[in-house]
Amino acid sequence: MPVRVTRREADEELVFAPAGAPGAVMRTLTEDDIECGAALPPLRIDVTSVNVLSAAPEGMDDRRAQSEDPGARDDFLNILTTMGLVERYVTDWAGPEALIRSINVRLGVPAYAGDTLIFNGTVAAYEAGEVTVEVRGTVGLGDHATGTVRLHLPR
């Protein structure tokens, strides 16, 4: 995967990000770019067995074998993967120097392999360099994840 490297001025750390990620900006947003109520561009993610199992905790294959319901669908995204996707969605929009301050997500319906997960977001608040984004990730069954991400933009 091609990688883009930038240096974060605030603390001189290097930031690594996928080059050309869908929706990613090459610069960090500034207060002039932020408008309360503005929608973030949507992000579509095809949930595949590969991305479910590659992030699954050890023993997930054993869970299916031990399930009381042999027809149960166990191939769904776990909470850690969902949290990472929420963070990716917001930081791809905000840029490489944006710092996540908090992520508060509530899980809903499972996102199974074969689903399409669509993230949408709205700028809910902006004050003194702090942006709050409301995020919703949906699949065919309904809301997979809803919540807020608070991040800091450099001045």
Side-chain angles (χ1 to χ4, degrees):
M1 169 188 306
V3 176
R4 174 176 33 92
V5 180
T6 58
R7 183 176 301 278
R8 188 168 34 215
E9 292 179 28
D11 54 14
E12 293 293 314
E13 287 191 24
L14 294 178
V15 177
F16 297 85
V25 295
M26 295 300 171
R27 67 173 181 82
T28 302
L29 298 176
T30 66
E31 62 183 52
D32 293 336
D33 300 314
I34 304 299
E35 181 180 331
C36 284
L40 280 64
L43 173 65
R44 295 176 57 91
I45 297 172
D46 291 325
V47 181
T48 66
S49 293
V50 172
N51 59 27
V52 168
L53 293 175
S54 66
E58 193 171 328
M60 185 167 178
D61 289 335
D62 297 335
R63 191 174 67 185
R64 177 177 283 129
Q66 297 169 1
S67 173
E68 292 180 21
D69 179 2
R73 293 179 65 187
D74 286 336
D75 52 345
F76 54 88
L77 294 179
N78 65 44
I79 188 169
L80 298 175
T81 303
T82 298
M83 294 296 282
L85 292 172
V86 168
E87 181 177 345
R88 170 192 165 195
Y89 174 59
V90 175
T91 57
D92 277 0
W93 166 75
E97 291 186 55
L99 300 175
I100 298 287
R101 295 289 193 214
S102 68
I103 301 177
N104 183 1
V105 171
R106 173 178 228 132
L107 290 180
V109 300
Y112 292 111
D115 285 340
T116 299
L117 176 58
I118 302 172
F119 283 104
N120 287 286
T122 305
V123 176
Y126 179 73
E127 185 176 333
E130 298 282 324
V131 179
T132 301
V133 177
E134 293 177 348
V135 176
R136 180 175 309 276
T138 59
V139 292
L141 291 174
D143 289 340
H144 170 63
T146 56
T148 58
V149 178
R150 190 172 54 87
L151 54 112
H152 174 78
L153 298 178
R155 294 192 177 232

